[in-house]
Amino acid sequence: MALTGRAALLAALGSLPVGIWEPSWTGILAVNAPLAVACACDFALAAPVRRLGLTRSGDTSVRLGDTADVTLTITNPSRRPLRARLRDAWPPSTWQPGTETRASRHRLTVPPGERRRVTTRLRPTRRGDRQADRVTIRSYGPLGLFSRQGIHKAPWTVRVLPPFTSRKHLPSKLARLRELDGRTSVLIRGQGTEFDSLREYVPGDDTRSIDWRATARQSAVAVRTWRPERDRHILLVLDTGRTSAGRVGDAPRLDASMDAALLLAALASRAGDRVDLLAYDRKVRALVQGRTAGDVLPALVSAMATLEPELVETNARGLTATALRTSPRRSLIVLLTTLDAAPIEEGLLPVLSQLTQRHTVLLASVADPHISEMAKARGNVDAVYEAAAAAQAHSERHRTAEQLRRHGVTVVDATPDDLAPALADAYLALKAAGRL
């Protein structure tokens, strides 16, 4: 079989005569001189790296869990063909474990004066902005014996957005919302704030809704129906302090709170309500205000993308004061924070009346499903101790929730998978009861 290129040259060099018994410098040079000449020629024929032009294009945002394609265009302005290996470096959190080597390395050939494109497929594992690091290019000669190497900067940023996994619950919540708005034939109990029409009384209706004057004019009992008001203001408050950093499953509590906030924002904007966002610990981390119904969800997703838990104690007084400045008129304030006893009793409860006397307050907290599993443990001494610890934790959370309810706060305490739909249900219940 005929050999070509690098293999043929090395085979030819290996067949040159060499002094077996008494090697001399002359013999060594006789062998190495052709190799040196070949390497020098190979180096000279390798396309220069520093003169290459690099530009990027492609995706600038991607939801966590999805893939993003970033295209790198390499222009070869020299008179020599570029035969190269290329490494497109990104932060480690841009790749799934074990896929970085395969995804970031490319082979390419670019004729003189032409350009070629290579695409790097990213699959980030964390939220936030991911920036391209550097592009390393190794240019080889035609024999592959020698190479030139250089580093280029080709800036590009991909924003990794929250995944919004609770979107699957939106159709069922919208159906419930349509019932509340009277756009279906289902009869809804409860009070709203805007009179809609009269209908005949059916068992189970609230007797306070009976219109006695209308009843006197006809033979059947008439009941007033109500349509929930629109254009209410909702302020979503994300606590980004140290308690939001606690991991529940594979993600911090803050991620579950974000997911619940996104579902509520999507539902409320469809209901005609105005939605704002405040992320706070000891200072404002994000603030979204005054967006239209069509723009609010993209704005919230973009603002949440770069949020990370801060390992500091949340300043409850500062949070309350900022929320009051952000919502000067009556609103629904949704606090996505912890139900741990110490932060609530020492931080939130002393200033809670400032919020509840002007606004309707709803508090949503992420519960750890592992505690419920511990409460069921039996069989040995360790399991019994775990069950006792879980029961104590449940008791403390229940006591804290009751304290909040006595102050007029609606409390939602649910696991990460259930928090988003439970918060949406609480919003719809408040709307149906005319408390918004």
Side-chain angles (χ1 to χ4, degrees):
M1 181 176 63
L3 298 177
T4 59
R6 181 180 179 185
L9 177 62
L10 293 177
L13 293 174
S15 65
L16 293 176
V18 182
I20 298 177
W21 301 106
E22 295 181 2
S24 63
W25 287 108
T26 304
I28 294 174
L29 290 175
V31 174
N32 291 341
L35 181 60
V37 172
C39 288
C41 294
D42 208 39
F43 177 78
L45 293 175
V49 175
R50 297 186 183 276
R51 295 174 56 191
L52 298 175
L54 275 69
T55 58
R56 288 191 186 271
S57 60
D59 296 329
T60 57
S61 64
V62 61
R63 288 196 181 276
L64 185 65
D66 293 341
T67 58
D69 291 337
V70 178
T71 300
L72 189 65
T73 302
I74 302 95
T75 304
N76 179 17
S78 70
R79 297 180 179 179
R80 308 167 198 164
L82 173 67
R83 308 171 186 87
R85 293 182 181 180
L86 179 149
R87 179 176 182 263
D88 190 5
W90 290 75
S93 60
T94 310
W95 322 94
Q96 292 289 331
T99 64
E100 189 270 342
T101 300
R102 182 177 67 257
S104 65
R105 286 166 170 76
H106 308 274
R107 290 177 178 267
L108 72 156
T109 300
V110 186
E114 297 187 16
R115 65 184 63 180
R116 293 291 185 271
R117 294 182 177 91
V118 295
T119 299
T120 301
R121 175 155 291 183
L122 313 177
R123 193 179 181 89
T125 58
R126 291 180 58 187
R127 288 181 295 100
D129 289 338
R130 298 292 170 263
Q131 298 179 346
D133 186 7
R134 63 187 67 182
V135 179
T136 304
I137 301 177
R138 182 173 294 176
S139 172
Y140 291 90
L143 298 176
L145 295 174
F146 216 91
S147 64
R148 304 168 184 259
Q149 181 168 306
I151 294 174
H152 287 261
K153 291 289 186 179
W156 194 259
T157 300
V158 175
R159 173 158 289 190
V160 186
L161 307 173
F164 194 10
T165 55
S166 62
R167 184 190 295 271
K168 61 188 177 184
H169 298 290
L170 188 56
S172 63
K173 305 308 175 187
L174 288 175
R176 174 65 176 166
L177 178 64
R178 286 191 292 270
E179 295 174 4
L180 290 178
D181 281 348
R183 282 177 276 177
T184 66
S185 59
V186 179
L187 301 178
I188 302 299
R189 302 179 198 155
Q191 297 289 333
T193 53
E194 180 184 348
F195 175 74
D196 184 31
S197 61
L198 293 171
R199 61 171 174 80
E200 187 174 346
Y201 174 85
V202 295
D205 282 338
D206 191 339
T207 55
R208 292 173 297 179
S209 297
I210 297 176
D211 189 321
W212 296 107
R213 290 186 178 181
T215 300
R217 294 194 298 267
Q218 58 188 28
S219 58
V221 178
V223 177
R224 293 186 294 269
T225 61
W226 306 86
R227 185 184 300 274
E229 283 194 19
R230 290 174 172 268
D231 199 30
R232 302 295 89 188
H233 180 242
I234 298 172
L235 177 62
L236 303 173
V237 182
L238 280 174
D239 179 359
T240 56
R242 66 167 184 84
T243 56
S244 67
R247 299 188 72 85
V248 179
D250 296 330
R253 282 185 166 89
L254 180 60
D255 285 24
S257 297
M258 287 181 182
D259 194 52
L262 289 175
L263 179 63
L264 179 56
L267 180 62
S269 61
R270 297 285 189 91
D273 294 334
R274 294 173 290 112
V275 182
D276 293 338
L277 170 72
L278 170 66
Y280 191 94
D281 42 70
R282 291 192 175 181
K283 64 178 183 179
V284 176
R285 301 292 176 177
L287 181 62
V288 177
Q289 286 182 291
R291 300 304 180 103
T292 62
D295 295 336
V296 65
L297 199 60
L300 294 185
V301 169
S302 181
M304 290 177 182
T306 56
L307 288 178
E308 295 292 343
E310 301 292 332
L311 300 182
V312 296
E313 197 72 42
T314 299
N315 182 354
R317 292 186 180 277
L319 185 150
T320 301
T322 306
L324 290 174
R325 287 196 302 269
T326 307
S327 301
R329 305 177 68 178
R330 183 170 180 79
S331 309
L332 169 64
I333 295 184
V334 181
L335 294 174
L336 294 124
T337 184
T338 181
L339 261 183
D340 294 345
I344 294 294
E345 294 175 358
E346 298 174 9
L348 184 59
L349 282 178
V351 297
L352 187 59
S353 59
Q354 299 177 29
L355 291 177
T356 55
Q357 68 183 2
R358 188 185 304 179
H359 303 291
T360 301
V361 180
L362 193 162
L363 186 144
S365 179
V366 182
D368 191 345
H370 182 61
I371 295 180
S372 298
E373 296 174 4
M374 290 172 55
K376 301 175 183 177
R378 298 292 187 274
N380 55 49
V381 175
D382 291 340
V384 172
Y385 275 112
E386 288 184 357
Q392 182 178 3
H394 275 305
S395 176
E396 289 181 354
R397 291 179 73 87
H398 180 72
R399 179 172 58 84
T400 303
E402 286 302 316
Q403 286 181 296
L404 292 169
R405 291 188 180 101
R406 284 197 293 270
H407 284 77
V409 177
T410 302
V411 178
V412 175
D413 185 22
T415 60
D417 292 338
D418 298 331
L419 182 65
L423 180 59
D425 287 339
Y427 162 77
L428 292 173
L430 290 173
K431 208 166 185 63
R435 294 182 58 188
L436 297 187

